[in-house]
Amino acid sequence: MAEKVKRRKTQAKTAIVDILKQSTQAMTHQDIELALDGLCNRVTIYRVLDRLVKEDLAHKLVDVDGVTKYLACRDCGENHLHHHVHFSCEQCGELTCLYHVVPKFTLPEGYHLSEVNFTVRGDCPKCSATSSAAE
Amino acid sequence: MAEKVKRRKTQAKTAIVDILKQSTQAMTHQDIELALDGLCNRVTIYRVLDRLVKEDLAHKLVDVDGVTKYLACRDCGENHLHHHVHFSCEQCGELTCLYHVVPKFTLPEGYHLSEVNFTVRGDCPKCSATSSAAE
DNA sequence: CTCTTAATGCAATTGAGTTGCAAATATCTT
DNA sequence: AAGATATTTGCAACTCAATTGCATTAAGAG
Ligand SMILES: [Mn+2]
Ligand SMILES: [Mn+2]
Ligand SMILES: [Zn+2]
Ligand SMILES: [Zn+2]
């Protein structure tokens, strides 16, 4: 029943994967478009990103403010679950994975977990350093 | 420096607060519009909701899929922090607060927390019950 | 009741994301 | 290498949530 689609290695896909891999933080569609500098069409970026997510090469995250961002899949293991915390900086706006911060919790009876999205907002080390220095 | 704005008690605001308070789950703008049944303009709903959030009478949440939802503020204490888990059902789509589920975690040095958004996706008790009964 | 200003309605606009379709191109087959 | 085939792309048009400007309405203070 599962349609087997033969993926192709294209210029746009290669470029986008490279850009995502080079970034330490999650990127918006717009970030990527800017980085690509006209290499391909806006729509193509959306479509490539969709494919990357399907192929488990990238993750699609929604930030606390509703902004959709993409992240290269690194060492996520089998299921590509993000059990760790994502940190969203209120000052510089960057969204990063805190791979080592894995919250502990227990769901009540009857709830069945399939995915987790734990985002913490605040000031990142960089920004809290500069803002406290300014005082 | 803080602008003191004198809020007014209007028909739209009262109705929207009532609707939010009666709901056990977070509601979208559309849900609210439907419940209001033409009582006021679409834009007014957006503006009232913004005000309610500013006045700490409601919370604005973004679901895992990017859908914005609103929730009446109940016993949130002083700072209105949602340290508990929000559960988002993949089947019925409802988003609810699991007030008793508060994850434990520790941020690394240098990170300063101001807000938390922890959403768990999966099947709610209602939906997991009916789907296992169907097998 | 009168005055001030917050709140509303309406029409137009923005911006992210999607869709249909024809043209381009990656990959497979001879 | 050339041809066949299905994927990928570009473009234009579209959808849908949310925002904005502005004239009008209506809280609520005095
Ligand atoms: Mn992954
Ligand atoms: Mn609250
Ligand atoms: Zn920062
Ligand atoms: Zn459910």
Side-chain angles (χ1 to χ4, degrees):
Chain A
M1 205 90 278
E3 297 292 327
K4 48 182 82 179
V5 190
K6 291 221 174 110
R7 300 297 182 191
R8 291 176 186 180
K9 182 179 174 181
T10 66
Q11 207 185 359
K13 181 176 172 181
T14 309
I16 291 174
V17 168
D18 282 354
I19 287 169
L20 287 178
K21 275 191 183 159
Q22 276 167 33
S23 175
T24 60
Q25 53 186 274
M27 300 179 82
T28 62
H29 170 272
Q30 200 177 268
D31 292 338
I32 297 165
E33 186 178 7
L34 201 69
L36 281 171
D37 193 34
L39 182 127
C40 70
N41 187 271
R42 240 169 38 80
V43 182
T44 301
I45 303 176
Y46 281 115
R47 294 198 268 225
V48 168
L49 287 170
D50 280 354
R51 263 181 276 149
L52 293 181
V53 170
K54 279 197 195 107
E55 294 178 72
D56 287 319
L57 293 175
H59 288 268
K60 185 177 186 174
L61 306 177
V62 177
D63 206 342
V64 212
D65 49 12
V67 178
T68 300
K69 299 186 176 180
Y70 297 87
L71 198 64
C73 178
R74 318 221 186 243
D75 16 55
C76 297
E78 290 273 303
N79 44 18
H80 304 277
L81 281 184
H82 274 217
H83 279 304
H84 57 262
V85 166
H86 295 152
F87 194 87
S88 168
C89 180
E90 279 176 336
Q91 292 187 52
C92 66
E94 73 169 41
L95 180 66
T96 51
C97 290
L98 301 184
Y99 293 106
H100 304 300
V101 186
V102 179
K104 301 271 178 251
F105 64 95
T106 316
L107 288 177
E109 278 288 315
Y111 287 93
H112 181 268
L113 178 151
S114 79
E115 187 188 344
V116 148
N117 188 327
F118 193 175
T119 308
V120 174
R121 287 217 103 180
D123 301 327
C124 75
K126 237 180 307 169
C127 292
S128 55
T130 55
S131 64
S132 60
E135 292 175 34
Chain B
M1 206 89 281
E3 296 292 326
K4 48 183 84 179
V5 191
K6 290 216 175 116
R7 301 297 183 192
R8 292 176 185 180
K9 181 181 176 181
T10 66
Q11 205 185 0
K13 183 176 171 182
T14 308
I16 291 173
V17 169
D18 282 353
I19 288 168
L20 286 178
K21 276 192 181 157
Q22 276 168 33
S23 175
T24 60
Q25 52 184 274
M27 300 179 80
T28 62
H29 170 272
Q30 200 178 268
D31 292 338
I32 297 165
E33 187 179 5
L34 203 69
L36 281 171
D37 193 33
L39 182 126
C40 70
N41 188 268
R42 270 183 57 251
V43 181
T44 301
I45 303 177
Y46 280 116
R47 296 198 266 226
V48 168
L49 287 170
D50 279 354
R51 263 181 277 149
L52 293 180
V53 170
K54 280 198 194 105
E55 296 177 71
D56 287 319
L57 293 175
H59 288 268
K60 186 177 183 173
L61 306 177
V62 176
D63 207 342
V64 210
D65 47 13
V67 177
T68 300
K69 298 186 178 181
Y70 297 87
L71 200 62
C73 180
R74 318 221 185 243
D75 15 55
C76 297
E78 290 274 303
N79 45 16
H80 304 279
L81 281 183
H82 275 215
H83 279 304
H84 57 263
V85 167
H86 296 154
F87 194 87
S88 168
C89 180
E90 279 175 334
Q91 293 186 52
C92 66
E94 74 168 40
L95 181 66
T96 51
C97 291
L98 301 183
Y99 292 105
H100 302 301
V101 185
V102 179
K104 302 266 177 258
F105 65 94
T106 315
L107 288 177
E109 277 288 314
Y111 287 94
H112 182 267
L113 178 151
S114 80
E115 186 188 345
V116 147
N117 188 328
F118 193 174
T119 307
V120 174
R121 286 216 103 180
D123 302 328
C124 75
K126 236 180 307 168
C127 292
S128 56
T130 56
S131 65
S132 59
E135 293 175 34

